[in-house]
Amino acid sequence: MSLFLVTGGGGFIGSNLVEVLLARGDAVRVLDNFATGRRSNLDSATSWAKAGGGSFELLEGDVRDLATCRRAVAGADYVLHQAAIPSVQRSVMDPVGSNDVNVSGTVNLLVAARDEKVKRFVMASSSSLYGESEVLPKVETMAPAPISPYGLQKLAGETYCGLFHRLYGLPAIALRYFNVFGPRQDPTSEYSAVIPLFITAIKRGTQPTIFGDGEQTRDFSYIANVVQANLRSCEAGPAAHGGAFNIACGERISLNELVGILGEFAGRKVQPNYAPHRPGDIKHSLAGIEMAQRFLGYDPDVSVREGLRRTWESL
Ligand code: UD1
């Protein structure tokens, strides 16, 4: 049985990883300080572990502390590093606090993982590092040009991953997530992502607010595809080590189309509010996923529409 450390395991993406790992019988340790993650996301972890025949352990602590990171990594075969202060907007409000967690926290974990000689270190990076270049699709050979502290922090984190591979032979892989959505994504924060915000507004019978004209597009990525990318990264051969890969669906929809689909689920026409464009927002986002397909064997098998349906039912 392999031991997986999931940092940020109390968060949306982390807890979905924990659930799948436990269901297939792995041993999972979570490191989380519950700054943005939620304890309730792990309420069922013990029963998932029982059903799968694996084991679950929670270590409450902060990635900004190297000693905590060493304790968390001790004995781990794989590290899935999801802990972060998410949200582009939040990083604009708090560049220092987000940098401490997103950059220094990542370096701490890399040092701990290097010394523990883990089999794989997989880091959650972000499409936001591409910035506002209008060229689509975004491919990994493009020069990153972040326009937010968050994008820059994720670029720093994945550059550290590449460097730790080159300097110390750490088999690290960075996954550039594109607008992930799905069950357990927090709909309650002012920094929440658009899909949980829209679903809860529509279910409540209030109008969702679109910033801008609603013609901006995103390559929304359903969580099951992201989980698959992490698991395949743990098995990917040496050609992938030290690399960074786009993880998305390879399709994009506009916010107006998104509201239309959610309106179909609600069984009525939804009329959104239109508010001014959000500063720092990029217009279009679409991923090329050929590199991930080739080097990781990534194969996103849940479409946006199907993912939206499952998320609608979960919220
Ligand atoms: C960005 C990144 C994403 C990253 C996330 C972390 C890009 C393309 N994507 O997402 O990979 O994981 O940051 O925070 O850089 N919106 C509304 N109404 C709302 C809320 C949002 O219209 O109530 C709009 C936003 O203005 C934006 C779109 O919906 O145009 C998506 O916003 P959001 O879900 O916050 O994600 P991004 O900032 O695109």
Side-chain angles (χ1 to χ4, degrees):
M1 191 195 296
S2 298
L3 175 60
F4 285 77
L5 169 66
V6 182
T7 72
F12 154 52
I13 297 175
S15 66
N16 277 280
L17 281 164
V18 170
E19 181 176 4
V20 171
L21 289 166
L22 289 175
R24 69 175 202 181
D26 285 297
V28 176
R29 179 183 297 150
V30 162
L31 172 64
D32 206 304
N33 67 351
F34 297 105
T36 60
R38 287 182 295 176
R39 280 167 217 284
S40 58
N41 284 342
L42 296 171
D43 276 353
S44 307
T46 318
S47 48
W48 295 333
K50 209 171 276 168
S55 66
F56 173 71
E57 184 191 344
L58 172 62
L59 182 62
E60 202 165 329
D62 198 312
V63 295
R64 288 170 294 188
D65 181 53
L66 178 58
T68 299
C69 291
R70 289 195 188 283
R71 263 205 311 282
V73 174
D77 299 291
Y78 300 94
V79 177
L80 305 180
H81 175 38
Q82 315 297 311
I85 301 286
S87 163
V88 166
Q89 297 305 314
R90 191 181 341 226
S91 78
V92 173
M93 302 310 292
D94 182 14
V96 173
S98 53
N99 192 81
D100 284 348
V101 174
N102 297 348
V103 181
S104 301
T106 298
V107 179
N108 283 339
L109 274 161
L110 281 165
V111 166
R114 175 200 65 188
D115 294 349
E116 192 64 25
K117 299 192 171 46
V118 302
K119 297 190 178 113
R120 197 75 82 250
F121 185 98
V122 185
M123 177 213 155
S125 184
S126 165
S127 65
S128 56
L129 59 75
Y130 286 111
E132 62 192 344
S133 135
E134 277 168 20
V135 183
L136 294 179
K138 311 285 185 200
V139 288
E140 292 86 343
T141 46
M142 283 177 181
I147 55 166
S148 64
Y150 181 78
L152 178 56
Q153 291 155 13
K154 288 295 184 177
L155 176 60
E158 62 164 62
T159 309
Y160 266 114
C161 286
L163 201 60
F164 269 61
H165 176 246
R166 189 188 301 185
L167 289 177
Y168 312 114
L170 178 73
I173 292 178
L175 302 179
R176 295 178 178 172
Y177 300 158
F178 280 65
N179 291 75
V180 187
F181 71 100
R184 289 201 290 277
Q185 191 169 24
D186 182 9
T188 60
S189 150
E190 60 179 306
Y191 299 114
S192 290
V194 66
I195 289 176
L197 284 174
F198 280 13
I199 292 180
T200 44
I202 293 169
K203 283 198 165 180
R204 236 188 263 130
T206 57
Q207 282 179 293
T209 298
I210 289 185
F211 300 125
D213 63 5
E215 287 306 300
Q216 65 265 53
T217 54
R218 293 291 183 271
D219 191 337
F220 290 109
S221 311
Y222 186 62
I223 182 68
N225 299 331
V226 171
V227 169
Q228 185 211 64
N230 276 271
L231 300 182
R232 300 221 168 147
S233 295
C234 292
E235 284 151 24
H241 302 174
F245 302 92
N246 290 344
I247 299 302
C249 239
E251 283 169 38
R252 62 191 170 119
I253 60 169
S254 70
L255 293 191
N256 289 326
E257 288 171 311
L258 172 65
V259 169
I261 296 171
L262 298 178
E264 281 175 38
F265 297 158
R268 64 188 159 83
K269 180 151 177 32
V270 173
Q271 181 54 50
N273 272 322
Y274 288 90
H277 168 265
R278 199 165 73 171
D281 224 23
I282 65 165
K283 184 80 184 168
H284 297 296
S285 178
L286 171 69
I289 55 173
E290 292 73 18
M291 290 265 285
Q293 288 170 322
R294 194 161 118 219
F295 287 95
L296 308 178
Y298 172 62
D299 176 23
D301 46 17
V302 183
S303 68
V304 178
R305 209 188 163 82
E306 170 61 16
L308 285 172
R309 198 189 51 75
R310 293 188 200 173
T311 310
W312 173 269
E313 281 161 13
S314 78
L315 274 167

